[in-house]
Amino acid sequence: MIKVLLVDDHELVRKGFKLMLDAQPDLGVVGEAADGAEAVELSRALRPDVVLMDLHMPGLDGVRATELITAELPEVRVLALSTFDLDENVVAALRAGAGGFLPKDVSPEELIEGVRVVHRGESAVAPRLLSRLIGTFVRASRARPVPAELAGLTEREREILVLIARGRSNTEIAAELSVSPSTVKNHVTSLFAKIDARDRAQAVIAAYEAGLIRPGE
């Protein structure tokens, strides 16, 4: 059973999400929070597997709450939600440690799958938002120098990072490079440690920020 904590300042939204998630045999809502501060406290107390985190709330917002939760409780995964298709908080949430982002108007099927995806340790970003998200982020970051930690990657690690940024899975990367999946996994673990990326979402941002790949490639 995947334990889910719901965080949204609108009770009606929380009730709707709860009905969707509790109807699944492998998902269960273990708590609800109306703001970021309550989300942090309940995450400490309940240790959910996944937190569905609204980004726009009064007081402690979802970005800061995500940062606090993922820093203190690395085993807890966060899936960020927003009424807005795209704003600066999306990238901020991913950088803060969120495992993915979905707009609130996604279908029940997309929401349920998003929870399962981030629970598996993978990245969940709505496909219709990905190119716009990355494009906006790259335009905002174009003038930044390549981080030193990316400069320290081996040639193979940089190659794998680019493939991750293009949306390839470990299995697809292994097939493309003619190596075993376990070899790819070892490289991914190493490069994530070097660039201080918690997951694939943060690795993708790092790749685009460093100019290793551009939107549309």
Side-chain angles (χ1 to χ4, degrees), residues 40 43-44 47 68-77 198:
V40 174
S43 293
R44 290 169 177 158
R47 302 299 173 102
L68 292 172
I69 291 169
T70 57
E72 183 178 336
L73 305 168
E75 73 280 6
V76 177
R77 303 284 297 173
R198 177 178 175 178

Side-chain angles (χ1 to χ4, degrees), residues 52-160:
L52 274 181
M53 180 75 73
D54 182 26
L55 295 183
H56 300 274
M57 296 180 291
L60 190 70
D61 66 19
V63 174
R64 179 59 177 154
T66 295
E67 185 176 24
L68 292 172
I69 291 169
T70 57
E72 183 178 336
L73 305 168
E75 73 280 6
V76 177
R77 303 284 297 173
V78 176
L79 177 57
L81 298 169
S82 176
T83 305
F84 307 101
D85 270 0
L86 183 66
D87 61 34
E88 65 275 11
N89 288 299
V90 176
V91 171
L94 293 173
R95 293 194 66 129
F101 166 79
L102 294 174
K104 284 186 178 179
D105 64 353
V106 294
S107 68
E109 292 78 14
E110 288 177 299
L111 178 68
I112 291 163
E113 182 60 19
V115 171
R116 291 171 176 153
V117 167
V118 297
H119 179 250
R120 292 198 299 265
E122 301 171 12
S123 302
V125 179
R128 66 187 174 88
L129 298 180
L130 184 57
S131 61
R132 289 174 56 204
L133 169 64
I134 295 300
T136 299
F137 187 82
V138 169
R139 285 195 294 274
S141 309
R142 195 166 286 161
R144 297 180 186 176
V146 175
E149 57 267 27
L150 263 70
L153 295 178
T154 66
E155 183 176 347
R156 178 46 61 93
E157 288 169 346
R158 287 169 70 94
E159 187 177 15
I160 289 175

Side-chain angles (χ1 to χ4, degrees), residues 77 94 97-100 121-123 192 195 197-204:
R77 303 284 297 173
L94 293 173
E122 301 171 12
S123 302
F192 277 19
I195 67 176
R198 177 178 175 178
D199 52 32
R200 295 175 96 87
Q202 291 187 334
V204 169

